[in-house]
Amino acid sequence: MNTVLLFLRHNAIKVRYVLHKKLRQTYRISHKTLEFTCLLIGASLVSLFSLGFAKLADLGLEWNAHWTQQYPIAVWFILPCGLALLTWFIAKYTPYVGGSGIPQVIASLSLPHHANKNRLVAFGQTLWKIPLTFLAMLIGASVGREGPSVQIGAAVMLWWGNLCRKYGVAFNGLSANELMATGAAGGLAAAFNAPLAGVIFAIEELGRGVLLRWERRVLLGVLAAGFILVAIEGNNPYFPTYQGVTDMPYLCLWVLVCGAVSGVSGGIFGRLLIKGAAGTFPFCRHWIRKHPIFTAIILGLILTALGVYTNGQTYGTGYQVVTQALDGQAVQSDIGIMKLFATVGTYWTGIAGGIFTPALTIGAGLGVQVAAFTDGSVDQRLLVLLCMAAFLAGATQSPVTASVIVMEMTGCQPVLIWLLICCLISSIISRQFNPKPFYHMAAGRFRQRIKEETQKDMKENP
């Protein structure tokens, strides 16, 4: 009898242990499932913000095309005054949303962990990027929405991650840097409808000089943001699908030419952006820094003149120019240079807006100019494609990101290897003009500003 009782007791303890072990495993599985669900929710929020921003930006571009054609004289008043108003507002109320948005994210990633680390991507202030970029497009500034989408994505994911961690739901193992990187790269993937490009951007651009753990959750979050937008909007390239040739006689020579032209112009472009108006015109540096509003008005008049000269093609992103050039249609031969000056002038004002899509437009214009020298013996569409990627690589010095983005945006997978070679050539040449990548040089200024504010806060509140 005692033996039977001992046997039953032993089995009961064993069953209890097995049940306890299974319950623990079930809890772990549930916790992982919950964290993965929260990651998908965060990626969905990034995608939805990017989608809403895209729709608003398209509306701003559409309205701009309408009113500038209906009231051509009004452009001479609205664009300069609008730039001055935006410059004043950003400097006074939202000092961290000016410019592209990518430098702010890079600066935040490289800052040490203290109270001001996330100030550059604070959720409440960063959301101002959406209406301010919309207004910039509405008045005719040469800006894009992709760079701002990166900063917005970082702010949204960081806010969501902090909310989940506050209530102990998920993300306890992810740092602020990893949350920001996930949202930023996801924002780019959603903005360009290019999930793979988002991953490459995270590794090549955001991870440059910053220690980040590229664990499975980060990469899944980036891909999820891109694929969720694909599920909503469909698997459609950002630009029309490339229909040009994929091979031609002396292709290596044309790749070298496009890489060299884009590398020189991209290096000069990046150098002008980082030097600013005061650095480019040292003889009136003091006046420019003392009177930013009047400087914005003067730059606005120059932008208006460029817009009138090009029949409005330098306004906004330049999407139509790229579309026509990729389709082999005739495009104004000097549109690339005009768009370069318009984008530099816009950036010098300090208003919110990115340079990604304008840079692609500049590259497309350069491709048209290169094709003009061939007298039609070379397919313009392929040269435009090569110069688009190469100029973006020259401006950002991120050749892999540039080639993959253009490949996904145009669906030109057979030409990817030539895009990559052209981008590498351009990036190498660009470094001779601008040794440090533009985004990282701009990030250094934001980082220095935050450090100065932190030191000031410490002195006031020891």
Side-chain angles (χ1 to χ4, degrees):
M1 187 68 180
N2 290 335
T3 305
V4 173
L5 289 174
L6 287 172
F7 176 76
L8 292 174
R9 183 180 179 184
H10 174 74
N11 284 342
I13 293 173
K14 187 176 180 180
V15 169
R16 190 185 308 164
Y17 172 77
V18 171
L19 287 173
H20 180 67
K21 185 177 179 180
K22 292 293 183 184
L23 286 172
R24 288 179 59 190
Q25 290 177 346
T26 303
Y27 172 77
R28 283 201 296 268
I29 293 172
S30 298
H31 181 73
K32 289 180 180 179
T33 303
L34 181 61
E35 182 155 296
F36 183 67
T37 302
C38 289
L39 183 66
L40 289 181
I41 293 173
S44 301
L45 290 173
V46 171
S47 295
L48 291 174
F49 270 92
S50 295
L51 179 61
F53 188 18
K55 298 298 184 184
L56 190 62
D58 291 342
L59 189 63
L61 294 173
E62 181 183 340
W63 287 355
N64 172 261
H66 175 73
W67 77 261
T68 52
Q69 292 294 326
Q70 290 288 110
Y71 312 102
I73 302 298
V75 182
W76 292 95
F77 301 96
I78 293 177
L79 182 51
C81 295
L83 285 177
L85 183 61
L86 290 175
T87 300
W88 168 80
F89 183 88
I90 289 174
K92 186 171 179 64
Y93 297 106
T94 57
Y96 302 129
V97 302
S100 166
I102 296 177
Q104 289 92 318
V105 175
I106 294 173
S108 294
L109 291 173
S110 60
L111 283 170
H113 291 274
H114 54 64
N116 291 334
K117 176 177 174 61
N118 302 330
R119 183 178 289 185
L120 293 172
V121 290
F123 182 71
Q125 181 175 230
T126 303
L127 288 186
W128 275 102
K129 198 97 176 181
I130 297 175
L132 290 173
T133 304
F134 163 76
L135 290 174
M137 291 180 172
L138 180 63
I139 64 175
S142 179
V143 295
R145 61 173 172 82
E146 290 72 27
S149 295
V150 170
Q151 187 180 6
I152 293 166
V156 169
M157 183 61 82
L158 182 63
W159 167 79
W160 172 249
N162 288 337
L163 186 66
C164 291
R165 286 193 293 193
K166 179 180 179 180
Y167 295 101
V169 178
F171 303 135
N172 290 325
L174 284 179
S175 66
N177 276 5
E178 287 152 355
L179 288 169
M180 282 189 285
T182 303
L188 184 79
F192 280 125
N193 203 5
L196 180 59
V199 174
I200 301 298
F201 171 78
I203 296 172
E204 184 181 32
E205 190 65 61
L206 299 181
R208 185 182 301 179
V210 179
L211 182 61
L212 287 172
R213 292 183 304 164
W214 297 112
E215 60 172 75
R216 183 168 57 95
R217 287 177 294 181
V218 174
L219 299 180
L220 282 175
V222 176
L223 289 171
F227 286 128
I228 288 169
L229 192 72
V230 170
I232 297 173
E233 289 287 281
N235 189 20
N236 302 312
Y238 185 87
F239 293 115
T241 304
Y242 177 70
Q243 301 292 338
V245 301
T246 58
D247 196 8
M248 66 172 67
Y250 308 108
L251 180 56
C252 293
L253 176 62
W254 290 114
V255 168
L256 180 61
V257 170
C258 291
V261 170
S262 300
V264 172
S265 53
I268 295 173
F269 177 69
R271 190 169 182 83
L272 288 173
L273 290 179
I274 201 62
K275 287 175 72 70
T280 305
F281 303 103
F283 53 87
C284 55
R285 178 182 302 168
H286 178 71
W287 187 90
I288 290 173
R289 290 177 175 171
K290 190 175 180 181
H291 303 93
I293 306 302
F294 289 113
T295 302
I297 292 175
I298 294 171
L299 290 171
L301 291 171
I302 296 172
L303 293 180
T304 304
L306 291 172
V308 172
Y309 172 72
T310 60
N311 195 26
Q313 293 183 93
T314 57
Y315 300 146
T317 61
Y319 179 88
Q320 292 299 326
V321 173
V322 179
T323 302
Q324 292 173 9
L326 281 174
D327 195 38
Q329 300 178 30
V331 177
Q332 187 172 327
S333 60
D334 57 354
I335 186 61
I337 301 300
M338 297 298 104
K339 186 65 175 176
L340 187 150
F341 289 142
T343 305
V344 169
T346 299
Y347 190 85
W348 281 354
T349 64
I351 67 171
I355 65 165
F356 247 102
T357 313
L360 293 172
T361 305
I362 297 168
L366 293 176
V368 170
Q369 285 185 304
V370 173
F373 285 106
T374 68
D375 293 327
S377 61
V378 178
D379 190 344
Q380 170 185 298
R381 295 171 293 182
L382 182 56
L383 297 180
V384 167
L385 193 71
L386 291 171
C387 285
M388 282 173 59
F391 184 84
L392 182 60
T396 63
Q397 295 182 16
S398 300
V400 182
T401 301
S403 55
V404 173
I405 279 179
V406 172
M407 181 270 291
E408 284 198 280
M409 291 172 70
T410 59
C412 61
Q413 288 82 355
V415 194
L416 178 60
I417 184 63
W418 299 113
L419 291 178
L420 181 57
I421 294 171
C422 195
C423 287
L424 288 170
I425 294 170
S426 175
S427 184
I428 292 170
I429 294 174
S430 172
R431 290 193 186 99
Q432 313 312 310
F433 297 87
N434 209 27
K436 192 174 181 181
F438 158 68
Y439 284 137
H440 290 263
M441 292 185 72
R445 294 180 177 177
F446 281 106
R447 185 165 53 245
Q448 182 62 30
R449 188 188 302 181
I450 292 297
K451 287 181 179 179
E452 291 174 356
E453 291 181 1
T454 302
Q455 292 173 358
K456 183 180 178 182
D457 292 342
M458 292 175 65
K459 288 180 181 179
E460 293 178 354
N461 303 298

